[in-house]
């Protein structure tokens, strides 16, 4: 993963907009977030996260057969973030390299795109990145959004294996509840109808999780960790209660990073692996939800041979 250098606390934000640590912490679980400093951008974060993932996987660059990056906040529409990573890390040229926009569900959509691209490339690996520089898109006068988001990146190397379950659920309702107008001369800003997105999320997460479990013919007891998009601690608490689940299986790190959209799931995965909580052979569920009113879930084995 890659964490930008600038730590912004709730108290720091209370000096910019009318807000306070108490409101932000109790309503969202967020205590601080990280923003890119002057030397950093979505590009540097994506490159660092990708390099770390390749090193951690212990593979050679030549063994990669696709690069997929999920993002909504890259500075250029083209070249894609994936192409920048490819160039900077000198990855192979004769492979598909592309970005995916499915907002906060993006990393899981990216996994599925990479899985499709790996078909017919048995033995090869795919690099999937989730990377955001949302600080660039924030209206720092709008307290209803500027306290929520942060920058960051996470990445994973994937491989198709015969063993172990693999199921996905992907969908979208089509909606304008979260928007970023882009590519015009005006500065783009994130706008969000938080209340409606909250209702959508607490409905989508359990549905996603239950369909994955049904498809795999497993129960929550068979799952070692559920890694959800880190938008709001209350959303996850609500889902844990609804599912009568063990809360320790639902990792939370929004207190440190805020909502990093497509980066939140791979960042949480990387932290869990670094802490030794997720180990090779563990069965994981990942769930994303967000802009476009997309949702996505994946049930898979981490580190399966
Ligand atoms: O990543 C994509 C997915 N996104 C999400 O999942 C986000 C889902 N939504 C949420 O997490 C929550 O709806 C929010 C955290 C965005 C908002 O929480 P809420 O409990 O729904 O608050 P609200 O928007 O209903 O606002 C309640 C009050 C309002 O004041 P009044 O009208 O009751 O007087 C707001 O003006 O809180 C006020 N408020 C604030 N006060 C202090 C809104 N933002 C702030 C703030 N500081 N930053």
């Amino acid at each position: 993963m890659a964490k930008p250098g600038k730590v912004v606390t709730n108290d720091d934000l209370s000096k910019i907009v009318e807000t306070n640590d108490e409101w932000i912490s109790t309503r969202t679980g967020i205590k601080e977030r990280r923003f890119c400093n002057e030397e950093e951008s979505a590009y540097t974060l994506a490159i660092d996260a990708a390099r770390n993932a390749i090193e951690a996987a212990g593979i050679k660059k030549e063994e990669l057969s696709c690069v997929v990056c999920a993002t909504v906040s890259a500075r250029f529409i083209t070249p894609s973030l994936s192409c920048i990573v490819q160039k900077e890390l000198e990855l192979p040229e004769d492979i598909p390299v592309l970005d995916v926009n499915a907002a906060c569900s993006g990393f899981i959509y990216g996994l599925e795109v990479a899985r499709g691209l790996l078909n017919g490339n048995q033995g090869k690996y795919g690099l999937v990145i989730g990377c955001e520089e949302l600080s660039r898109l924030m209206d720092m006068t709008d307290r209803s959004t500027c306290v929520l988001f942060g920058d960051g990146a996470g990445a994973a190397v994937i491989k198709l294996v015969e063993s172990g379950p693999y199921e996905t659920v992907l969908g979208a309702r089509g909606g304008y509840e979260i928007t970023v107008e882009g590519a015009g001369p005006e500065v783009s800003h994130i706008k969000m109808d938080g209340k409606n997105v909250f209702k959508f999320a607490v409905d989508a997460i359990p549905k996603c999780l239950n369909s994955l479990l049904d498809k795999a013919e497993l129960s929550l007891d068979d799952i070692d960790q559920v890694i959800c998009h880190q938008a709001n601690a209350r959303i996850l608490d609500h889902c844990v209660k609804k599912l009568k689940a063990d809360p320790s299986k639902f990792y939370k790190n929004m207190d440190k990073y805020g909502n990093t959209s497509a980066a939140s799931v791979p960042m949480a995965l990387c932290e869990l692996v670094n802490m030794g909580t997720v180990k090779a052979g563990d069965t994981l569920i990942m769930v994303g939800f967000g802009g476009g009113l997309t949702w996505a879930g994946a049930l898979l084995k981490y580190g399966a041979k």
Side-chain angles (χ1 to χ4, degrees):
M1 69 189 270
K3 302 186 256 187
K6 189 168 160 190
V7 177
V8 180
T9 65
N10 292 347
D11 285 338
D12 292 334
L13 291 176
S14 71
K15 291 175 191 130
I16 304 172
V17 282
E18 203 181 319
T19 191
N20 53 72
D21 176 50
E22 211 260 327
W23 191 96
I24 306 171
S25 314
T26 53
R27 298 277 179 139
T28 70
I30 299 166
K31 293 203 167 292
E32 59 187 42
R33 69 290 292 141
R34 283 165 176 257
F35 290 172
C36 287
N37 60 35
E38 274 168 25
E39 299 81 53
E40 294 166 330
S41 70
Y43 292 143
T44 64
L45 297 180
I47 292 162
D48 288 348
R51 186 187 289 112
N52 292 340
I54 295 169
E55 271 173 27
I59 61 158
K60 295 196 196 82
K61 293 187 259 186
E62 296 69 37
E63 292 178 282
L64 283 174
S65 70
C66 65
V67 182
V68 179
C69 180
T71 186
V72 291
S73 54
R75 292 185 187 207
F76 288 83
I77 288 175
T78 191
S80 66
L81 262 183
S82 300
C83 284
I84 303 286
V85 169
Q86 179 196 31
K87 182 176 168 55
E88 294 300 320
L89 296 186
E90 298 175 334
L91 304 182
E93 289 190 0
D94 54 346
I95 61 171
V97 175
L98 72 156
D99 284 2
V100 165
N101 173 348
C104 310
S105 312
F107 181 75
I108 297 159
Y109 267 74
L111 282 180
E112 191 59 0
V113 170
R115 185 169 80 113
L117 293 169
L118 281 176
N119 264 329
N121 275 307
Q122 239 62 24
K124 291 259 188 172
Y125 297 88
L127 175 63
V128 186
I129 308 161
C131 175
E132 301 290 5
E133 187 187 354
L134 297 172
S135 58
R136 218 171 62 70
L137 304 177
M138 266 143 57
D139 175 355
M140 295 307 289
T141 65
D142 175 8
R143 69 175 183 174
S144 72
T145 52
C146 77
V147 302
L148 303 176
F149 299 98
D151 301 340
V157 168
I158 67 159
K159 186 183 186 185
L160 300 185
V161 289
E162 303 277 312
S163 64
Y166 181 84
E167 301 293 345
T168 51
V169 185
L170 302 175
R173 191 171 289 172
Y176 291 91
E177 284 79 356
I178 308 171
T179 59
V180 183
E181 288 179 32
E186 304 297 323
V187 179
S188 305
H189 283 141
I190 302 174
K191 295 185 189 127
M192 181 167 74
D193 173 353
K195 271 210 180 318
N196 271 325
V197 179
F198 194 104
K199 282 186 206 148
F200 162 72
V202 294
D203 178 53
I205 299 172
K207 274 191 189 154
C208 225
L209 224 128
N210 284 329
S211 356
L212 289 168
L213 293 171
D214 284 351
K215 280 173 130 189
E217 297 179 3
L218 294 175
S219 81
L220 252 183
D221 293 339
D222 302 310
I223 306 301
D224 295 293
Q225 278 291 322
V226 179
I227 305 174
C228 286
H229 170 47
Q230 304 285 310
N232 186 323
R234 284 192 297 133
I235 293 179
L236 300 196
D237 293 344
H238 206 285
C239 294
V240 164
K241 208 165 155 195
K242 201 163 171 179
L243 292 157
K244 298 190 176 61
D246 171 0
S248 70
K249 284 192 181 178
F250 285 67
Y251 184 60
K252 289 184 200 151
N253 67 2
M254 72 284 282
D255 57 327
K256 289 181 282 181
Y257 307 115
N259 176 344
T260 57
S261 191
S264 82
V265 168
M267 284 176 81
L269 171 66
C270 290
E271 280 204 338
L272 286 164
V273 171
N274 292 342
M275 292 186 303
T277 310
V278 165
K279 301 170 287 302
D282 280 358
T283 307
L284 307 179
I285 283 185
M286 300 178 188
V287 181
F289 54 89
L293 293 195
T294 55
W295 64 86
L299 187 155
L300 48 80
K301 266 213 187 298
Y302 173 77
K305 296 282 176 218

